[in-house]
Amino acid sequence: MASPSCFTSRNYKFNVFSSFHGPDVRKTLLSHLREQFKRNGITMFNDQEIKRSAMISPSLKEAIKESRISIVILSKKYASSSWCLDELVEILECKKARGQMVMTIFYQVEPSDVRYQTGDFGIAFNKTCARKTNYKEKKKWSRALKYVGNIAGEDFKNWINEAKMIEKIAKDVLDKLNATPSRDFDGMVGLETHLREIESLLDLDNDRVKVVGIFGPAGIGKSTIARALHSRLSNRFQLTFFVDNLRETYPTGLDEYGLKLRLQKQFLSDILNLDDIKISNLCSIKNRLRDQRVLIILDDVNNIKQLEALAGNIDWFGPRSRIIVTTENRELLQQHGIHEPYPVVFPSDKDAVEILYRYAFRQSYPHDGVKVFAEKITKLCGNLPLALRVVGSSLCRKEEDEWKDVMCRLETILDRDIEEVLRVSYESLQENEQSLFLHIAAFFNYEFGDLVKAMFSEILEVNGGLKILVNRSLIEISTYGEKIKMHRLLQQMAIQTIKKQKPWKRQILMDAHGICDVLQNERVTTDVSGISFDISKIDEVFINERAFKRMPNLRFLRVYQEKYDENKIISIPNEMEFPSSLRLLHWEAYPSNSLPHRFHPEYLVKIDMKDSKLEKLWEEIQPLPNLKRVDLRGSYYLKELPDLSKATNLETLELDYCEDLVELPSSVSNLHKLKKLGMESCTKLELISTNWNLASLPHLNISNTNITTFGISVTDVASSTSPQFHLDRLISLRLRSNAKLKTLTQLPANIFSLDLSYAGIESMSDCCIESLHGLQTLELCGCRELTSLPELPPSLEFLDATNCESLENVFSLFGIPDGRLNFANCFKLGRQARRSIIQQRFIQYGSSFLPGRKIPTKFKHRANGNTLSFYVSAFSSYKVCLLISPKRSKQTFDIPQVNCRRISNDHLFRIRERDSVRIHQQHGKLRRYCMWCTDLVGGNQWGVWR
């Protein structure tokens, strides 16, 4: 008899079916799969308790029906069980009706015996059929066995090592799961109709690039529809990217051209997964994506400049690309030439009630006694999906009288306004949670949860409060990054709630003109805990020197411009004093050259003063036990940092583009909890303390500075004048564009990514690189003074030495089992170095690039033109050399595509497609180079790698 085992993962389900006859591989298989899935965060449950009978039970049919993948394990006596055969028929019917995937394992049985019911398998099948009188049933079994016998699967006899076979099966299942469309959106009311209509507009079979707009009011479900489309369609495109929350991430403080450049840089960095991407003009997206078929979704667009920056013209993208734009503003789509956008309308009354039920009961039908209330509540919510979700979640597990209370409260809200509907869930909160909710809306949306907890330490019970807000669907805390997110519509509701409070009850001030009055006339505001001051609509701001003294409980101060205007006048008196209780100091473009003389930062958790005019912060050593984050990016005039020796909990120090900063204080070298230190484009930075002991720092960026010597010491080097870094946890180091950096001495053994591109480095000591046993990526692009490379660690996977024009010597590369080695435009490579590169033997796969004019004689199989065919034995490895030269008559050229195919037993297998071989261009001349690839045929590892 066969028994099913059902597994679930992120709403995926799949079944494993096996036979009890013969030696049992089932336990080993399930045990191994369980271990594999556990390591990948997948929960597995085993349903072997289904009672067997002459007929397949409804529960088993349901398990098969709900599955994504079925694995059928076939043995010699599999067909001796009519139960197994009926089960197989059911699996294949589900495959036909629902697109379920079926995998096979042939255990000591020939696939041909299964297909044609011959041999021992056929004998078992005939015996089973002899017990049956129904000819149609026999015919169904025979057809099912022929079908499943033709499914290419794993043949047990071809594997010497059973564990290896099971490992491959587990990997194949996981790969198929990852390629399977997400079921996260299954059951969402009305969603399928939206998706079908938008897919029709997308016209996916059309070769043209198409842009489709989706518009509708806030909270209607535009983002949900867009995410579902992204999930469903992603596997049809070469590159996909979902740009979410564009409204909130639109940068300020730059001119229009600068804004577009920043948007394009962030976009390309994300879609291409390149952290250090450089762009100098607005053709960058076109230059990089015009040959790619891409799916790009721009969510919540609220400014035409965003579309102009990210999707300016359809010729920016390759044929059959699709761009989807969601917005509340239909006119914006029309301005961009999107004339037939898709309108997301409110759900019908029936669908709206079902949405409410699904959040209140986790199903589509109500408990007895609340149906009348539910229909009325749905109408009071105006059928707005977001409101239905929030209110429905607040009613979860509530009794009938509580439903009635909610309905009555909704009835009293003025005009059943949508914005006010969202307040219902807020009003059900206790005072502690209400205060936390309003503060998150005003100050901490999209902020890290740990930082928020530190902000409210000893003020509110924040852990329990955050949990309640999550359960009420008022906020989300992302799985990755632990960021707190509040929907914009909920945030709007919270802000309106703050503004409608009676003046003497307000804890948070947000009205710009009211804040001006308070700051200028030193109004008594002892209950105020936070000020969020948007000065966009204020021409001049004058602050009384005693204004903040009347605010002893002020903890959160945020001054910003929603719409940047550099002509704003803000007058800050020299004698002004911030309150000592301040925990958040967020003041964009701070106008003074220093903070007030009497500054008390003892309780500060975060200092965010991007684009300020600060030259210094404060003079004396200050107690900073709570400080976790300092962000001074773009403070071009900052000349010095204060002593931070008391900032023992500092985790992030952002100093990028502080162009006047000359040195860092020695106190920074002992910030043991520092996790991120950014000093990119601190162009005057020269002197760094000689002893750095940053044991917890994983990421260090010192790109585009003037540091001359860099090393990380394992022991104290008191006599050294060059900076020595004790960075035990450093895994990523960027020293790009440091033209004055000449020497690299010692680095921590656990570093895995090192970027020295365009540095002035001349030498790399043997101990510096060879000792990096975990190094995977080494980037030396543009190191024009580098003359030799030391022995490299075997862990290396990628080496980019492009344009190292002086490079002559490369020590033995034989220790690198697999990897990509790029020596393009290294024209001074000596004979020994070239021989070492050519003779490099990769164990499984790899590639090398270097300049050349002819194919080396060791390559025996040769051809001119576009194809080369040759015979290889089943378990041999081989190398391929390609000499690529563009046509001289062409001013421009297409990137050639390299395909590798294997023909075996009259079957053609396309191993890997569209792996590009890039041609490097320098000073207007096209350079030739060769590429060597090695594959192990027996391990099914085939392909051409760049």
Side-chain angles (χ1 to χ4, degrees):
M1 290 269 184
S3 66
S5 298
C6 219
F7 308 81
T8 60
S9 162
R10 303 182 186 93
N11 293 324
Y12 293 127
K13 291 187 179 178
F14 57 97
N15 289 332
V16 175
F17 298 87
S18 66
S19 171
F20 289 157
H21 297 287
D24 188 12
V25 295
R26 178 182 177 76
K27 291 181 180 178
T28 310
L29 174 61
L30 295 182
S31 174
H32 191 78
L33 285 172
R34 186 180 291 109
E35 293 175 4
Q36 291 276 352
F37 299 148
K38 185 177 181 181
R39 285 197 294 270
N40 286 275
I42 297 173
T43 303
M44 179 180 97
F45 68 89
N46 199 350
D47 184 12
Q48 300 186 61
E49 301 302 323
I50 297 175
K51 186 177 180 180
R52 292 163 184 76
S53 62
M55 303 291 292
I56 295 180
S57 67
S59 57
L60 178 55
K61 285 187 176 183
E62 188 65 21
I64 296 172
K65 183 179 178 181
E66 293 181 357
S67 299
R68 284 287 185 180
I69 301 176
S70 291
I71 301 179
V72 182
I73 304 177
L74 298 150
S75 64
K76 290 180 180 179
K77 295 187 178 181
Y78 180 90
S80 64
S81 166
S82 61
W83 199 87
C84 285
L85 295 171
D86 287 338
E87 189 178 64
L88 178 61
V89 170
E90 185 71 24
I91 291 171
L92 295 181
E93 286 178 355
C94 284
K95 173 179 172 59
K96 182 179 179 180
R98 303 173 66 87
Q100 185 188 90
M101 288 180 284
V102 177
M103 300 171 63
T104 55
I105 300 172
F106 297 95
Y107 186 77
Q108 296 183 351
V109 64
E110 291 293 333
S112 61
D113 286 346
V114 176
R115 281 196 295 272
Y116 304 115
Q117 297 94 60
T118 56
D120 291 342
F121 188 93
I123 294 171
F125 177 73
N126 291 330
K127 287 181 179 179
T128 304
C129 290
R131 299 193 294 269
K132 298 288 183 179
T133 59
N134 189 333
Y135 174 76
K136 290 184 178 179
E137 191 172 37
K138 298 176 188 177
K139 195 170 182 180
K140 279 199 302 184
W141 290 347
S142 181
R143 282 200 302 263
L145 289 171
K146 184 175 182 179
Y147 187 95
V148 80
N150 278 314
I151 297 176
E154 294 299 333
D155 196 335
F156 199 79
K157 73 177 187 300
N158 292 337
W159 289 85
I160 299 174
N161 189 321
E162 178 181 314
K164 290 287 186 182
M165 185 196 76
I166 294 172
E167 183 177 347
K168 183 177 184 299
I169 293 168
K171 181 180 182 300
D172 288 345
V173 170
L174 291 173
D175 288 345
K176 289 179 184 296
L177 274 181
N178 290 333
T180 303
S182 168
R183 298 182 68 179
D184 292 346
F185 303 96
D186 284 5
M188 286 194 173
V189 181
L191 180 62
E192 190 61 33
T193 301
H194 291 304
L195 298 183
R196 282 199 304 268
E197 293 185 21
I198 296 172
E199 284 187 47
S200 176
L201 290 174
L202 288 169
D203 193 10
L204 294 168
D205 293 327
N206 194 309
D207 288 338
R208 294 186 297 112
V209 177
K210 292 202 71 173
V211 183
V212 171
I214 301 174
F215 75 95
I220 198 69
K222 301 183 299 296
S223 296
T224 300
I225 293 169
R227 288 189 183 280
L229 283 167
H230 184 260
S231 175
R232 177 178 289 192
L233 303 177
S234 290
N235 59 358
R236 302 190 188 188
F237 296 83
Q238 292 172 287
L239 292 173
T240 69
F241 189 55
F242 191 104
V243 187
D244 62 346
N245 204 34
L246 261 173
R247 178 189 299 269
E248 295 296 331
T249 57
Y250 192 61
T252 60
L254 295 172
D255 59 71
E256 180 180 322
Y257 190 86
L259 289 172
K260 291 180 178 179
L261 276 179
R262 184 176 291 186
L263 279 172
Q264 287 204 1
K265 178 179 179 180
Q266 185 61 50
F267 172 81
L268 288 172
S269 174
D270 290 333
I271 196 171
L272 300 175
N273 197 23
L274 297 172
D275 292 335
D276 56 341
I277 192 166
K278 301 289 185 183
I279 69 172
S280 58
N281 58 64
L282 295 178
C283 295
S284 300
I285 291 179
K286 179 179 179 179
N287 292 340
R288 291 179 177 262
L289 301 183
R290 62 186 169 192
D291 295 317
Q292 302 280 347
R293 187 188 182 194
V294 300
L295 171 64
I296 297 168
I297 297 178
L298 307 177
D299 186 46
D300 200 18
V301 173
N302 72 324
N303 192 304
I304 191 64
K305 305 303 180 187
Q306 296 162 341
L307 288 178
E308 291 172 353
L310 301 179
N313 206 311
I314 59 174
D315 68 356
W316 290 10
F317 312 101
R320 306 183 75 183
S321 292
R322 296 294 182 266
I323 294 86
I324 299 171
V325 181
T326 76
T327 183
E328 295 174 25
N329 187 351
R330 181 174 185 174
E331 184 180 2
L332 187 148
L333 298 175
Q334 293 172 338
Q335 290 174 355
H336 200 60
I338 307 171
H339 298 299
E340 296 182 3
Y342 178 78
V344 184
V345 298
F346 286 89
S348 66
D349 291 344
K350 179 183 176 181
D351 285 348
V353 170
E354 188 175 348
I355 292 171
L356 182 71
Y357 289 162
R358 285 189 176 273
Y359 283 100
F361 303 112
R362 305 296 187 257
Q363 57 195 21
S364 58
Y365 54 90
H367 293 166
D368 294 338
V370 301
K371 187 174 182 180
V372 175
F373 301 132
E375 291 177 353
K376 190 68 176 289
I377 288 171
T378 300
K379 291 180 181 179
L380 292 170
C381 287
N383 287 16
L384 182 70
L386 180 60
L388 294 168
R389 175 169 67 87
V390 173
V391 176
S393 297
S394 72
L395 291 168
C396 187
R397 299 186 179 88
K398 295 295 176 64
E399 299 299 327
E400 184 177 332
D401 57 342
E402 293 176 283
W403 277 72
K404 185 177 181 179
D405 291 340
V406 168
M407 186 190 70
C408 292
R409 285 204 303 274
L410 283 170
E411 285 180 331
T412 61
I413 295 177
L414 182 62
D415 294 328
R416 288 173 282 183
D417 189 281
I418 292 174
E419 193 172 288
E420 293 295 331
V421 169
L422 298 178
R423 191 184 297 173
V424 174
S425 191
Y426 162 78
E427 289 181 344
S428 68
L429 299 172
Q430 299 295 320
E431 185 178 354
N432 178 74
E433 287 78 45
Q434 284 187 347
S435 179
L436 180 60
F437 176 75
L438 296 179
H439 280 86
I440 290 173
F443 301 103
F444 304 118
N445 201 9
Y446 291 91
E447 185 58 270
F448 286 100
D450 287 344
L451 202 70
V452 174
K453 291 174 184 178
M455 292 283 184
F456 289 96
S457 176
E458 300 177 1
I459 301 174
L460 295 174
E461 203 293 287
V462 66
N463 289 320
L466 290 174
K467 186 175 181 180
I468 290 171
L469 296 181
V470 169
N471 291 339
R472 299 288 179 89
S473 298
L474 290 169
I475 63 170
E476 295 178 2
I477 299 182
S478 61
T479 303
Y480 304 102
E482 297 296 325
K483 279 193 173 183
I484 295 174
K485 297 182 180 180
M486 180 183 294
H487 191 279
R488 187 181 59 83
L489 192 61
L490 285 166
Q491 187 178 29
Q492 283 183 336
M493 179 273 296
I495 291 170
Q496 288 303 313
T497 299
I498 292 169
K499 291 181 177 180
K500 290 179 181 179
Q501 289 174 338
K502 297 186 182 301
W504 59 88
K505 288 187 176 181
R506 289 179 189 154
Q507 289 185 308
I508 302 172
L509 302 182
M510 299 193 73
D511 178 72
H513 294 284
I515 294 172
C516 278
D517 183 50
V518 168
L519 295 180
Q520 186 169 346
N521 300 311
E522 54 178 305
R523 305 284 188 193
V524 177
T525 50
T526 56
D527 293 330
V528 171
S529 62
I531 294 177
S532 182
F533 189 11
D534 178 10
I535 62 174
S536 299
K537 297 180 180 179
I538 306 294
D539 294 327
E540 296 181 338
V541 180
F542 297 95
I543 301 177
N544 190 294
E545 65 180 35
R546 296 179 54 83
F548 290 111
K549 289 187 177 181
R550 302 294 186 96
M551 303 180 193
N553 294 311
L554 184 66
R555 298 182 178 91
F556 314 111
L557 177 61
R558 180 175 178 235
V559 182
Y560 66 102
Q561 290 190 53
E562 185 69 32
K563 297 180 180 179
Y564 181 75
D565 181 357
E566 62 182 8
N567 296 318
K568 298 290 181 185
I569 298 175
I570 304 178
S571 176
I572 299 178
N574 293 331
E575 300 304 317
M576 185 189 76
E577 185 175 345
F578 287 122
S580 59
S581 57
L582 207 59
R583 300 189 175 209
L584 170 67
L585 177 55
H586 178 170
W587 196 317
E588 296 176 7
Y590 186 76
S592 297
N593 59 13
S594 69
L595 292 172
H597 297 300
R598 285 178 289 184
F599 184 58
H600 309 285
E602 181 177 356
Y603 293 100
L604 269 176
V605 176
K606 179 179 178 180
I607 299 175
D608 187 342
M609 306 188 82
K610 292 187 288 290
D611 304 316
S612 73
K613 293 184 179 179
L614 286 167
E615 296 180 7
K616 62 180 180 180
L617 296 177
W618 56 78
E619 296 286 353
E620 300 82 8
I621 299 177
Q622 296 283 359
L624 302 163
N626 298 293
L627 191 61
K628 286 180 171 289
R629 181 181 177 92
V630 176
D631 190 344
L632 298 168
R633 286 176 293 177
S635 296
Y636 300 112
Y637 308 105
L638 187 69
K639 292 179 169 54
E640 61 182 79
L641 286 177
D643 190 311
L644 296 173
S645 57
K646 301 289 186 176
T648 53
N649 289 303
L650 189 64
E651 297 178 354
T652 301
L653 181 57
E654 298 272 21
L655 302 170
D656 298 344
Y657 297 94
C658 292
E659 296 180 352
D660 276 356
L661 187 64
V662 177
E663 63 178 298
L664 295 183
S666 59
S667 58
V668 174
S669 65
N670 291 302
L671 299 176
H672 301 303
K673 293 187 178 181
L674 197 64
K675 296 178 181 177
K676 185 175 182 180
L677 175 58
M679 295 180 285
E680 181 175 353
S681 295
C682 294
T683 52
K684 293 184 180 179
L685 187 63
E686 295 181 351
L687 178 62
I688 295 184
S689 171
T690 57
N691 259 315
W692 286 61
N693 188 12
L694 302 175
S696 63
L697 185 68
H699 304 287
L700 178 61
N701 185 356
I702 321 180
S703 300
N704 197 23
T705 64
N706 284 326
I707 295 173
T708 57
T709 305
F710 186 91
I712 296 180
S713 177
V714 179
T715 58
D716 290 334
V717 186
S719 59
S720 176
T721 58
S722 64
Q724 299 292 322
F725 293 76
H726 305 267
L727 306 172
D728 298 335
R729 296 187 184 180
L730 189 69
I731 58 175
S732 174
L733 175 61
R734 294 184 64 209
L735 289 162
R736 291 178 68 93
S737 303
N738 286 294
K740 294 185 178 180
L741 180 64
K742 302 298 182 184
T743 305
L744 192 69
T745 55
Q746 194 167 2
L747 297 170
N750 55 319
I751 196 168
F752 76 78
S753 177
L754 178 60
D755 187 351
L756 301 169
S757 298
Y758 305 101
I761 194 161
E762 298 174 353
S763 66
M764 303 170 70
S765 66
D766 292 350
C767 61
C768 170
I769 299 298
E770 185 182 5
S771 62
L772 305 182
H773 304 300
L775 187 66
Q776 297 177 11
T777 300
L778 177 59
E779 297 186 56
L780 302 169
C781 182
C783 292
R784 302 183 187 278
E785 306 300 322
L786 186 64
T787 58
S788 66
L789 280 180
E791 186 169 347
L792 302 173
S795 59
L796 195 67
E797 296 179 1
F798 178 67
L799 167 65
D800 186 359
T802 305
N803 296 325
C804 290
E805 297 176 350
S806 302
L807 188 63
E808 299 178 6
N809 301 315
V810 177
F811 285 84
S812 174
L813 297 171
F814 293 133
I816 303 175
D818 296 308
R820 293 175 295 158
L821 312 176
N822 192 343
F823 295 95
N825 294 343
C826 297
F827 296 103
K828 290 188 178 181
L829 281 172
R831 181 177 299 178
Q832 185 61 38
R834 289 175 179 269
R835 184 181 297 114
S836 177
I837 297 168
I838 293 172
Q839 293 178 353
Q840 170 66 18
R841 183 176 179 84
F842 300 112
I843 293 178
Q844 230 177 17
Y845 59 83
S847 63
S848 301
F849 300 78
L850 74 164
R853 294 187 177 275
K854 62 182 180 179
I855 296 176
T857 57
K858 66 171 291 181
F859 293 95
K860 305 299 182 184
H861 301 287
R862 294 168 176 261
N864 292 324
N866 297 326
T867 61
L868 171 66
S869 300
F870 55 93
Y871 292 96
V872 293
S873 62
F875 293 95
S876 66
S877 62
Y878 66 90
K879 290 183 178 180
V880 177
C881 176
L882 304 177
L883 179 61
I884 302 172
S885 179
K887 294 180 179 179
R888 294 183 179 181
S889 59
K890 285 189 175 183
Q891 295 298 317
T892 60
F893 58 93
D894 297 325
I895 295 174
Q897 305 296 318
V898 179
N899 297 316
C900 183
R901 295 180 175 88
R902 172 171 63 102
I903 299 177
S904 175
N905 296 328
D906 298 324
H907 292 286
L908 175 63
F909 299 91
R910 182 170 294 179
I911 307 304
R912 184 162 174 169
E913 294 185 286
R914 303 198 67 177
D915 275 297
S916 300
V917 180
R918 298 195 178 278
I919 298 179
H920 292 257
Q921 186 172 5
Q922 184 186 26
H923 304 308
K925 296 181 180 179
L926 301 176
R927 306 296 188 180
R928 300 184 180 97
Y929 62 84
C930 298
M931 178 179 72
W932 285 267
C933 307
T934 178
D935 300 304
L936 183 62
V937 179
N940 294 319
Q941 300 291 337
W942 284 74
V944 178
W945 283 263
R946 293 173 186 167

